[in-house]
Amino acid sequence: MIVVMEHGATQAQIDHVRDRIVALGLSAHLSQGEFRAIIGAVGDKQPEHQAILEAMEGVERVVPIMKPYKLASREFHEADSVVDVGGVPIGSGVTLIAGPCAIESRESLWRIAEAVRARGAAILRGGAFKPRTSPYSFQGLGVEGLKLLRAAGDAFGMPVVTEVMSIADVDVVAQYADMIQIGARNVQNFNLLAAVGETRRPVLLKRGFATTVAEFLMSAEYVLSRGNRSLVLCERGIKTFETELRYTFDVAAVPLIKHNTHLPVIVDPSHACGRREYVTALALAGVAAGADGVVVEVHDCPEAALCDGPQALLPDMFAEMTRQVGAVAKALGRELVPARTTRL
Amino acid sequence: MIVVMEHGATQAQIDHVRDRIVALGLSAHLSQGEFRAIIGAVGDKQPEHQAILEAMEGVERVVPIMKPYKLASREFHEADSVVDVGGVPIGSGVTLIAGPCAIESRESLWRIAEAVRARGAAILRGGAFKPRTSPYSFQGLGVEGLKLLRAAGDAFGMPVVTEVMSIADVDVVAQYADMIQIGARNVQNFNLLAAVGETRRPVLLKRGFATTVAEFLMSAEYVLSRGNRSLVLCERGIKTFETELRYTFDVAAVPLIKHNTHLPVIVDPSHACGRREYVTALALAGVAAGADGVVVEVHDCPEAALCDGPQALLPDMFAEMTRQVGAVAKALGRELVPARTTRL
Amino acid sequence: MIVVMEHGATQAQIDHVRDRIVALGLSAHLSQGEFRAIIGAVGDKQPEHQAILEAMEGVERVVPIMKPYKLASREFHEADSVVDVGGVPIGSGVTLIAGPCAIESRESLWRIAEAVRARGAAILRGGAFKPRTSPYSFQGLGVEGLKLLRAAGDAFGMPVVTEVMSIADVDVVAQYADMIQIGARNVQNFNLLAAVGETRRPVLLKRGFATTVAEFLMSAEYVLSRGNRSLVLCERGIKTFETELRYTFDVAAVPLIKHNTHLPVIVDPSHACGRREYVTALALAGVAAGADGVVVEVHDCPEAALCDGPQALLPDMFAEMTRQVGAVAKALGRELVPARTTRL
Amino acid sequence: MIVVMEHGATQAQIDHVRDRIVALGLSAHLSQGEFRAIIGAVGDKQPEHQAILEAMEGVERVVPIMKPYKLASREFHEADSVVDVGGVPIGSGVTLIAGPCAIESRESLWRIAEAVRARGAAILRGGAFKPRTSPYSFQGLGVEGLKLLRAAGDAFGMPVVTEVMSIADVDVVAQYADMIQIGARNVQNFNLLAAVGETRRPVLLKRGFATTVAEFLMSAEYVLSRGNRSLVLCERGIKTFETELRYTFDVAAVPLIKHNTHLPVIVDPSHACGRREYVTALALAGVAAGADGVVVEVHDCPEAALCDGPQALLPDMFAEMTRQVGAVAKALGRELVPARTTRL
């Protein structure tokens, strides 16, 4: 860390900071400039030590040098990680995940699962526990939905991913799903992150819509530090002043995250834009920028969907998206990850 | 709702939307302009019906007319609500809440509680369960902290407020605390909102740093709709491109929320700016804009604080803040809410 | 427009609004709901009429139905426009524009122009008038720079584009350049927009970093309404809470703009991210999302650059970008626009 | 500056950076940590040197230590500056500036000027050149408006402030107005800043809605560095994801700017919120946070206003605002600045 003292800091304040650095077990290096004293602190533990020093009299600011995350960092693990989700890899090639926003009924789920499997999806998604802005909205089928999802995945040869919202549900979700999703609104629900970190199920962690990439990787660290190393990150849009679409899809987060971490990164264009007519363009952008996969919502009758109908692709739009994503991936020397050939 | 059809929508699409509106039990009023058809839908349930209609072919967008929250709205309850927190009101006058960020030890908590009580605080705050960005940071004393907080509140005659992060902890927090806080990161942890809504403890709900006022009031609706009507809202800064301070304190949210809802609103300048030298200015701004109270962090030795030392006021700074806040309140025809006179 | 009256608006207020609508020459349609009166106004002129009605007592808000821009809209002009820049089209295929941030000297410009021409650029860029945040920074060579740019373009067979910052310089820039750029900071410098609208030189209009797409198209309207129909729009990143890169590249703006307007759209990944290691990923994302071209900064010795060295591609990085952009374009059924074969 | 090398930077890269620092005339101090090399550069010129070093191979980032502005900084000028505007000070007490958004006619301006003078305004505002988002909106009366404003100011004993949008108009505005305003959209129109810096008229510089405080002070530096030291800054709201009000009023910018600079700071609540019912609350917040004044729009018939009617206070609302602002100022030991007693 670099401690920048205020212009006008007293010698006593400077000495006190230096002594404190030493008392923390670090080494201190004072550099007295014309306008300000600067004190380098070597060997620090982020972010605790930063807060302590920033709280001291005469300190203008503290500049961290090291990244605050460790297990998530490229420095810790140089090679790209590949996460196996029920026999389908994420991190080697481009993996397509598709399905309805919410699991609504057996009939509807079967139709959609069959449709996306036939059009290129390797993993099936579907929500059983739904985080809804309104308490008066459909909140999902719960455990009944989980069972339907498991059965549909088995029927059509696709591993399944679904969201968990509460610690109390982690076990049952881990029992039925091949991959556990943490939604954007829970990206800093630290207890929930720790709880899925205790399982050994692969985790799909969505970026919060107000989470910096650095904060996002600290949330990843919560999962990793509990011993679960099967973690996939997902960019899904952030909140900005531009509100014509639902969120602003931060496509630069893809190469930025991949530069800083070894974890696979996928994109969710459906939630990013909220309107089906823009989903394919954003999926292509994400893959062109280096994403390891795409998760999209597909519905065969969006106006009857119980959740987020406006952003659901129709099956034939999904087929066209698959075709174009495959072409772009190939142009960049990569391949679509095929679905598992085995059904149960 | 107003359904705006696309330029170029076909008659069949227009008819289909109109039929759908009727099938939803609403009445439909078509207005065919030169460039676009517009269909008014009267009697709608927000936001379900909006999503259904937006998902339809030929629909450009759907404009809601009614607010999506009900129990939180001024239309539902015209008069300002006052929430009683262990004998101290919030919503009639300006209530000061102060204490350390985290409960660290009996000695430190007693010193700080005594100091803030003597300098104008009516309610004691302190964190036992701490949401920390880093898994390697101090996570709070847990139940042991709750017991200390309860004892300190009793010793110095102050009701106490503390944060809950997990559903599993709601009961124990409700047992020890006079008021349950939901932190910014959990503002859309809907299950947790529902859980505190099931208690009859007053709730302090902090705005998320990426939550619009409208979304914030939907989160309030989760608590209210479970029957808990003792709810206080808190503005504590939002994320913007201006990052020199920790967050951007959205002072306009105070009158905006008070215009739209009957619930009391307080401000948290400590988390909003993250630096003690700006806390008093923001507290004054909040009260001048109409806030019903201020919650601030106070520590007698910030550089030894286990959490957020840089933003903690020293006791004498808090005394000065109390004096100035009291003067501004008085200038605007309001009064500081006195602390309870009875100690246990 | 739809005028939404406040809950509790009086009959007199409602009548007054209706009368005012009629007095403005529009037709008014009142719909009295259970909670609110709503008045449709047909035939309105945006945005004047909106402000007038919003200013009236009892009005909660006014919802515009029509887009406020006309000449820029797809409704006005259905087919994609193609802009000819000195013999090179923008809007049919993917056009590459490259060159240094600032024109620094004849030698350096010649080296860079030759390098980018040989590696796929069809148009040469370079700044003669530089908008710099600091008054102490290099401000560009001015007219001397324009002359060098013109000569370099002629020498290597490339049309040239450069920025104008002042109305006083519009004529001289139009004299030397094939295309006039309006930079992000001047996107709402309305007098300057009008001035370039009076010329018949093609204009490259960069989106402001705090401009919504709707506002951006209103700025386009300023140019178009003066009679200049050769206009190309450019997405170059917006300001958000994520500050690890310079701006947030809003890739969704590409399909969103193309949906709403007939004008060509290109992307500027250099300014969007500010670091050369991310430029290619963003260029690919932009083209995959539908951009008609890419403008990038290239320098053969970035550490000697007088401006924005950290974001300049080295020539060989640009060659690799060209190769990948060409492959992605081809995968999506499009082609790189070739450079002019004729040199002067 | 502190140069942080990448993890894995080679010795040659480190040496090259060190040599470059020395070649720039600075002194270099290498500190080789376990994971990264860090090189301190003392004596640097911001921001040129930063860009040069960031552009070099092996450099992860460069952390500036010194502020990039000089003349605007408190370090350059410790005491608060007071700016004299035609006999009315800004910077000692709380100065009220009021008037219509746009100058519309002699009759309307006289009525409004008389009304605001009688209710506490010390300076008259009014727009002659109007920056309008739409080319089809009223663009102001131009020079005719300037003459009316001058005459109204003289008639009612108030200095006048008005906006300039073009360099070509600087002289005529300086001729008729006591203070020249640079609007938010021109905050980084650097040529215009330089042009008003060449005059000796006081300047009112509005913060851009996407300008950080640091960038804002760099724009101030443009004016100051041309020799014009009579500069007042104005916070008027920034763009964020919260769009229910027009902008987000960044009240914390007031103490933040005052901490970093000696220049007076006022607030513009009218443009910040865009709705008259919130203007007073924000004015009070700004003054409570330390602002040296308030500029508001007042109109006696908002629904007839040619510009921004919804945000105009009615004269009696302005009177009440004056009363409350005066009370809050007094509570904090400050006073309203009285209007000039002399009329012409």
Side-chain angles (χ1 to χ4, degrees), chain D residues 169-202:
Chain D
D169 298 325
V170 168
D171 283 350
V172 70
V173 171
Q175 178 188 341
Y176 287 107
D178 299 287
M179 185 176 217
I180 306 174
Q181 178 181 313
I182 301 285
R185 289 167 184 76
N186 282 313
V187 71
Q188 292 195 320
N189 182 338
F190 300 117
N191 291 354
L192 184 60
L193 294 173
V196 300
E198 295 290 345
T199 76
R200 291 300 172 267
R201 279 284 179 217

mmCIF file of all heavy atoms in Angstrom, chain D residues 169-202:
data_model
loop_
_atom_site.group_PDB
_atom_site.id
_atom_site.type_symbol
_atom_site.label_atom_id
_atom_site.label_comp_id
_atom_site.label_asym_id
_atom_site.label_seq_id
_atom_site.Cartn_x
_atom_site.Cartn_y
_atom_site.Cartn_z
ATOM 1 N N ASP D 169 -19.880 34.990 -29.289
ATOM 2 C CA ASP D 169 -20.779 35.815 -28.485
ATOM 3 C C ASP D 169 -20.168 36.280 -27.167
ATOM 4 O O ASP D 169 -20.829 36.971 -26.397
ATOM 5 C CB ASP D 169 -22.070 35.030 -28.174
ATOM 6 C CG ASP D 169 -22.850 34.670 -29.426
ATOM 7 O OD1 ASP D 169 -22.860 35.481 -30.376
ATOM 8 O OD2 ASP D 169 -23.427 33.565 -29.473
ATOM 9 N N VAL D 170 -18.949 35.876 -26.886
ATOM 10 C CA VAL D 170 -18.363 36.206 -25.576
ATOM 11 C C VAL D 170 -18.294 37.714 -25.382
ATOM 12 O O VAL D 170 -18.654 38.239 -24.320
ATOM 13 C CB VAL D 170 -16.972 35.552 -25.417
ATOM 14 C CG1 VAL D 170 -16.242 36.135 -24.201
ATOM 15 C CG2 VAL D 170 -17.120 34.042 -25.270
ATOM 16 N N ASP D 171 -17.861 38.426 -26.390
ATOM 17 C CA ASP D 171 -17.706 39.873 -26.217
ATOM 18 C C ASP D 171 -19.032 40.568 -25.945
ATOM 19 O O ASP D 171 -19.124 41.404 -25.031
ATOM 20 C CB ASP D 171 -17.063 40.493 -27.468
ATOM 21 C CG ASP D 171 -15.564 40.219 -27.507
ATOM 22 O OD1 ASP D 171 -15.020 39.736 -26.489
ATOM 23 O OD2 ASP D 171 -14.957 40.459 -28.557
ATOM 24 N N VAL D 172 -20.042 40.200 -26.698
ATOM 25 C CA VAL D 172 -21.319 40.886 -26.510
ATOM 26 C C VAL D 172 -21.947 40.522 -25.173
ATOM 27 O O VAL D 172 -22.551 41.366 -24.492
ATOM 28 C CB VAL D 172 -22.270 40.643 -27.710
ATOM 29 C CG1 VAL D 172 -22.775 39.210 -27.753
ATOM 30 C CG2 VAL D 172 -23.438 41.625 -27.676
ATOM 31 N N VAL D 173 -21.787 39.287 -24.750
ATOM 32 C CA VAL D 173 -22.305 38.908 -23.431
ATOM 33 C C VAL D 173 -21.543 39.657 -22.344
ATOM 34 O O VAL D 173 -22.141 40.173 -21.388
ATOM 35 C CB VAL D 173 -22.237 37.380 -23.233
ATOM 36 C CG1 VAL D 173 -22.553 37.003 -21.788
ATOM 37 C CG2 VAL D 173 -23.209 36.666 -24.178
ATOM 38 N N ALA D 174 -20.217 39.737 -22.494
ATOM 39 C CA ALA D 174 -19.416 40.448 -21.491
ATOM 40 C C ALA D 174 -19.786 41.935 -21.452
ATOM 41 O O ALA D 174 -19.654 42.596 -20.423
ATOM 42 C CB ALA D 174 -17.925 40.274 -21.790
ATOM 43 N N GLN D 175 -20.240 42.433 -22.575
ATOM 44 C CA GLN D 175 -20.619 43.851 -22.636
ATOM 45 C C GLN D 175 -21.896 44.128 -21.841
ATOM 46 O O GLN D 175 -21.981 45.124 -21.109
ATOM 47 C CB GLN D 175 -20.814 44.231 -24.107
ATOM 48 C CG GLN D 175 -21.257 45.670 -24.333
ATOM 49 C CD GLN D 175 -21.614 45.917 -25.796
ATOM 50 O OE1 GLN D 175 -21.206 45.155 -26.688
ATOM 51 N NE2 GLN D 175 -22.362 46.974 -26.044
ATOM 52 N N TYR D 176 -22.869 43.206 -21.939
ATOM 53 C CA TYR D 176 -24.175 43.465 -21.323
ATOM 54 C C TYR D 176 -24.346 42.845 -19.935
ATOM 55 O O TYR D 176 -25.184 43.294 -19.165
ATOM 56 C CB TYR D 176 -25.304 42.979 -22.237
ATOM 57 C CG TYR D 176 -25.502 43.868 -23.442
ATOM 58 C CD1 TYR D 176 -25.107 43.469 -24.703
ATOM 59 C CD2 TYR D 176 -26.081 45.134 -23.290
ATOM 60 C CE1 TYR D 176 -25.281 44.292 -25.808
ATOM 61 C CE2 TYR D 176 -26.256 45.960 -24.395
ATOM 62 C CZ TYR D 176 -25.858 45.533 -25.655
ATOM 63 O OH TYR D 176 -26.026 46.358 -26.730
ATOM 64 N N ALA D 177 -23.591 41.785 -19.634
ATOM 65 C CA ALA D 177 -23.832 41.064 -18.383
ATOM 66 C C ALA D 177 -22.746 41.344 -17.358
ATOM 67 O O ALA D 177 -21.601 41.641 -17.705
ATOM 68 C CB ALA D 177 -23.904 39.566 -18.656
ATOM 69 N N ASP D 178 -23.120 41.224 -16.082
ATOM 70 C CA ASP D 178 -22.152 41.367 -15.009
ATOM 71 C C ASP D 178 -21.411 40.064 -14.739
ATOM 72 O O ASP D 178 -20.362 40.063 -14.117
ATOM 73 C CB ASP D 178 -22.874 41.816 -13.728
ATOM 74 C CG ASP D 178 -23.558 43.154 -13.910
ATOM 75 O OD1 ASP D 178 -22.844 44.178 -13.958
ATOM 76 O OD2 ASP D 178 -24.804 43.175 -14.051
ATOM 77 N N MET D 179 -22.006 38.979 -15.160
ATOM 78 C CA MET D 179 -21.410 37.660 -14.920
ATOM 79 C C MET D 179 -21.774 36.784 -16.108
ATOM 80 O O MET D 179 -22.919 36.789 -16.569
ATOM 81 C CB MET D 179 -21.989 37.066 -13.636
ATOM 82 C CG MET D 179 -21.365 35.746 -13.223
ATOM 83 S SD MET D 179 -22.037 35.177 -11.634
ATOM 84 C CE MET D 179 -20.548 34.459 -10.915
ATOM 85 N N ILE D 180 -20.791 36.009 -16.583
ATOM 86 C CA ILE D 180 -20.981 35.153 -17.748
ATOM 87 C C ILE D 180 -21.133 33.717 -17.283
ATOM 88 O O ILE D 180 -20.284 33.203 -16.556
ATOM 89 C CB ILE D 180 -19.760 35.232 -18.695
ATOM 90 C CG1 ILE D 180 -19.448 36.685 -19.065
ATOM 91 C CG2 ILE D 180 -19.978 34.371 -19.928
ATOM 92 C CD1 ILE D 180 -18.149 36.819 -19.873
ATOM 93 N N GLN D 181 -22.192 33.095 -17.728
ATOM 94 C CA GLN D 181 -22.390 31.695 -17.342
ATOM 95 C C GLN D 181 -21.933 30.756 -18.449
ATOM 96 O O GLN D 181 -22.202 30.981 -19.617
ATOM 97 C CB GLN D 181 -23.876 31.461 -17.058
ATOM 98 C CG GLN D 181 -24.200 30.020 -16.698
ATOM 99 C CD GLN D 181 -25.679 29.817 -16.443
ATOM 100 O OE1 GLN D 181 -26.310 30.588 -15.722
ATOM 101 N NE2 GLN D 181 -26.244 28.789 -17.049
ATOM 102 N N ILE D 182 -21.216 29.693 -18.031
ATOM 103 C CA ILE D 182 -20.924 28.583 -18.935
ATOM 104 C C ILE D 182 -21.826 27.441 -18.490
ATOM 105 O O ILE D 182 -21.774 27.010 -17.335
ATOM 106 C CB ILE D 182 -19.446 28.143 -18.830
ATOM 107 C CG1 ILE D 182 -18.502 29.294 -19.164
ATOM 108 C CG2 ILE D 182 -19.186 26.925 -19.711
ATOM 109 C CD1 ILE D 182 -18.419 29.619 -20.625
ATOM 110 N N GLY D 183 -22.641 26.951 -19.398
ATOM 111 C CA GLY D 183 -23.610 25.925 -19.041
ATOM 112 C C GLY D 183 -22.997 24.540 -18.926
ATOM 113 O O GLY D 183 -21.853 24.299 -19.347
ATOM 114 N N ALA D 184 -23.783 23.636 -18.363
ATOM 115 C CA ALA D 184 -23.317 22.277 -18.113
ATOM 116 C C ALA D 184 -22.812 21.593 -19.378
ATOM 117 O O ALA D 184 -21.836 20.855 -19.354
ATOM 118 C CB ALA D 184 -24.450 21.460 -17.497
ATOM 119 N N ARG D 185 -23.482 21.824 -20.494
ATOM 120 C CA ARG D 185 -23.111 21.130 -21.739
ATOM 121 C C ARG D 185 -21.802 21.642 -22.331
ATOM 122 O O ARG D 185 -21.222 21.018 -23.201
ATOM 123 C CB ARG D 185 -24.244 21.253 -22.757
ATOM 124 C CG ARG D 185 -25.446 20.412 -22.372
ATOM 125 C CD ARG D 185 -26.666 20.740 -23.177
ATOM 126 N NE ARG D 185 -27.805 19.972 -22.696
ATOM 127 C CZ ARG D 185 -28.480 20.253 -21.575
ATOM 128 N NH1 ARG D 185 -28.112 21.282 -20.828
ATOM 129 N NH2 ARG D 185 -29.486 19.491 -21.195
ATOM 130 N N ASN D 186 -21.362 22.795 -21.866
ATOM 131 C CA ASN D 186 -20.116 23.362 -22.382
ATOM 132 C C ASN D 186 -18.977 23.293 -21.371
ATOM 133 O O ASN D 186 -17.953 23.941 -21.552
ATOM 134 C CB ASN D 186 -20.348 24.816 -22.810
ATOM 135 C CG ASN D 186 -21.036 24.898 -24.166
ATOM 136 O OD1 ASN D 186 -20.638 24.224 -25.118
ATOM 137 N ND2 ASN D 186 -22.078 25.703 -24.271
ATOM 138 N N VAL D 187 -19.145 22.506 -20.326
ATOM 139 C CA VAL D 187 -18.134 22.491 -19.265
ATOM 140 C C VAL D 187 -16.791 21.978 -19.761
ATOM 141 O O VAL D 187 -15.754 22.254 -19.171
ATOM 142 C CB VAL D 187 -18.639 21.672 -18.053
ATOM 143 C CG1 VAL D 187 -18.677 20.190 -18.374
ATOM 144 C CG2 VAL D 187 -17.792 21.935 -16.826
ATOM 145 N N GLN D 188 -16.810 21.218 -20.853
ATOM 146 C CA GLN D 188 -15.539 20.785 -21.432
ATOM 147 C C GLN D 188 -15.403 21.290 -22.871
ATOM 148 O O GLN D 188 -14.722 20.683 -23.691
ATOM 149 C CB GLN D 188 -15.395 19.263 -21.340
ATOM 150 C CG GLN D 188 -15.249 18.804 -19.875
ATOM 151 C CD GLN D 188 -14.754 17.377 -19.745
ATOM 152 O OE1 GLN D 188 -15.149 16.497 -20.498
ATOM 153 N NE2 GLN D 188 -13.879 17.139 -18.779
ATOM 154 N N ASN D 189 -16.058 22.409 -23.144
ATOM 155 C CA ASN D 189 -15.837 23.137 -24.399
ATOM 156 C C ASN D 189 -14.634 24.040 -24.113
ATOM 157 O O ASN D 189 -14.764 25.193 -23.716
ATOM 158 C CB ASN D 189 -17.089 23.940 -24.744
ATOM 159 C CG ASN D 189 -16.962 24.688 -26.050
ATOM 160 O OD1 ASN D 189 -15.863 24.961 -26.520
ATOM 161 N ND2 ASN D 189 -18.097 25.044 -26.633
ATOM 162 N N PHE D 190 -13.446 23.471 -24.293
ATOM 163 C CA PHE D 190 -12.248 24.093 -23.736
ATOM 164 C C PHE D 190 -11.925 25.431 -24.382
ATOM 165 O O PHE D 190 -11.427 26.346 -23.734
ATOM 166 C CB PHE D 190 -11.067 23.120 -23.824
ATOM 167 C CG PHE D 190 -11.317 21.841 -23.073
ATOM 168 C CD1 PHE D 190 -11.373 20.621 -23.725
ATOM 169 C CD2 PHE D 190 -11.515 21.859 -21.698
ATOM 170 C CE1 PHE D 190 -11.616 19.439 -23.031
ATOM 171 C CE2 PHE D 190 -11.761 20.687 -20.985
ATOM 172 C CZ PHE D 190 -11.803 19.467 -21.663
ATOM 173 N N ASN D 191 -12.242 25.563 -25.660
ATOM 174 C CA ASN D 191 -11.986 26.844 -26.316
ATOM 175 C C ASN D 191 -12.865 27.944 -25.735
ATOM 176 O O ASN D 191 -12.430 29.088 -25.569
ATOM 177 C CB ASN D 191 -12.246 26.735 -27.825
ATOM 178 C CG ASN D 191 -11.210 25.869 -28.518
ATOM 179 O OD1 ASN D 191 -10.231 25.434 -27.909
ATOM 180 N ND2 ASN D 191 -11.429 25.588 -29.794
ATOM 181 N N LEU D 192 -14.097 27.591 -25.412
ATOM 182 C CA LEU D 192 -15.000 28.576 -24.825
ATOM 183 C C LEU D 192 -14.527 28.962 -23.413
ATOM 184 O O LEU D 192 -14.568 30.139 -23.028
ATOM 185 C CB LEU D 192 -16.425 28.019 -24.791
ATOM 186 C CG LEU D 192 -17.528 28.956 -24.304
ATOM 187 C CD1 LEU D 192 -17.628 30.199 -25.182
ATOM 188 C CD2 LEU D 192 -18.875 28.237 -24.269
ATOM 189 N N LEU D 193 -14.058 27.979 -22.675
ATOM 190 C CA LEU D 193 -13.516 28.262 -21.340
ATOM 191 C C LEU D 193 -12.336 29.231 -21.443
ATOM 192 O O LEU D 193 -12.215 30.187 -20.667
ATOM 193 C CB LEU D 193 -13.055 26.964 -20.663
ATOM 194 C CG LEU D 193 -14.149 25.957 -20.323
ATOM 195 C CD1 LEU D 193 -13.526 24.652 -19.823
ATOM 196 C CD2 LEU D 193 -15.099 26.518 -19.283
ATOM 197 N N ALA D 194 -11.472 28.966 -22.397
ATOM 198 C CA ALA D 194 -10.318 29.848 -22.573
ATOM 199 C C ALA D 194 -10.777 31.253 -22.946
ATOM 200 O O ALA D 194 -10.228 32.255 -22.460
ATOM 201 C CB ALA D 194 -9.388 29.273 -23.639
ATOM 202 N N ALA D 195 -11.809 31.326 -23.778
ATOM 203 C CA ALA D 195 -12.278 32.641 -24.236
ATOM 204 C C ALA D 195 -12.845 33.460 -23.082
ATOM 205 O O ALA D 195 -12.568 34.664 -22.966
ATOM 206 C CB ALA D 195 -13.325 32.473 -25.343
ATOM 207 N N VAL D 196 -13.638 32.861 -22.209
ATOM 208 C CA VAL D 196 -14.145 33.639 -21.074
ATOM 209 C C VAL D 196 -13.027 33.894 -20.070
ATOM 210 O O VAL D 196 -13.060 34.874 -19.314
ATOM 211 C CB VAL D 196 -15.373 32.991 -20.383
ATOM 212 C CG1 VAL D 196 -16.526 32.850 -21.368
ATOM 213 C CG2 VAL D 196 -15.020 31.661 -19.747
ATOM 214 N N GLY D 197 -12.026 33.023 -20.077
ATOM 215 C CA GLY D 197 -10.855 33.262 -19.227
ATOM 216 C C GLY D 197 -10.078 34.496 -19.655
ATOM 217 O O GLY D 197 -9.362 35.105 -18.848
ATOM 218 N N GLU D 198 -10.213 34.868 -20.914
ATOM 219 C CA GLU D 198 -9.510 36.056 -21.420
ATOM 220 C C GLU D 198 -10.233 37.355 -21.026
ATOM 221 O O GLU D 198 -9.642 38.434 -21.059
ATOM 222 C CB GLU D 198 -9.395 35.992 -22.947
ATOM 223 C CG GLU D 198 -8.536 34.862 -23.476
ATOM 224 C CD GLU D 198 -7.051 35.049 -23.187
ATOM 225 O OE1 GLU D 198 -6.639 36.179 -22.826
ATOM 226 O OE2 GLU D 198 -6.302 34.061 -23.305
ATOM 227 N N THR D 199 -11.527 37.248 -20.703
ATOM 228 C CA THR D 199 -12.231 38.453 -20.260
ATOM 229 C C THR D 199 -11.914 38.688 -18.787
ATOM 230 O O THR D 199 -11.261 37.873 -18.148
ATOM 231 C CB THR D 199 -13.771 38.307 -20.398
ATOM 232 O OG1 THR D 199 -14.253 37.478 -19.333
ATOM 233 C CG2 THR D 199 -14.159 37.696 -21.727
ATOM 234 N N ARG D 200 -12.403 39.792 -18.276
ATOM 235 C CA ARG D 200 -12.267 40.027 -16.831
ATOM 236 C C ARG D 200 -13.640 40.107 -16.174
ATOM 237 O O ARG D 200 -13.797 40.653 -15.090
ATOM 238 C CB ARG D 200 -11.416 41.277 -16.554
ATOM 239 C CG ARG D 200 -9.943 41.099 -16.933
ATOM 240 C CD ARG D 200 -9.279 39.934 -16.132
ATOM 241 N NE ARG D 200 -7.923 39.604 -16.595
ATOM 242 C CZ ARG D 200 -7.663 38.668 -17.508
ATOM 243 N NH1 ARG D 200 -8.627 37.981 -18.086
ATOM 244 N NH2 ARG D 200 -6.420 38.425 -17.843
ATOM 245 N N ARG D 201 -14.636 39.511 -16.815
ATOM 246 C CA ARG D 201 -15.956 39.400 -16.225
ATOM 247 C C ARG D 201 -15.981 38.168 -15.300
ATOM 248 O O ARG D 201 -15.422 37.133 -15.649
ATOM 249 C CB ARG D 201 -17.007 39.167 -17.315
ATOM 250 C CG ARG D 201 -17.445 40.401 -18.035
ATOM 251 C CD ARG D 201 -18.389 41.204 -17.155
ATOM 252 N NE ARG D 201 -18.809 42.426 -17.857
ATOM 253 C CZ ARG D 201 -18.994 43.588 -17.250
ATOM 254 N NH1 ARG D 201 -18.798 43.708 -15.947
ATOM 255 N NH2 ARG D 201 -19.383 44.636 -17.931
ATOM 256 N N PRO D 202 -16.669 38.277 -14.172
ATOM 257 C CA PRO D 202 -16.859 37.078 -13.352
ATOM 258 C C PRO D 202 -17.548 35.978 -14.155
ATOM 259 O O PRO D 202 -18.407 36.274 -15.008
ATOM 260 C CB PRO D 202 -17.750 37.564 -12.211
ATOM 261 C CG PRO D 202 -17.506 39.035 -12.120
ATOM 262 C CD PRO D 202 -17.236 39.486 -13.526
#
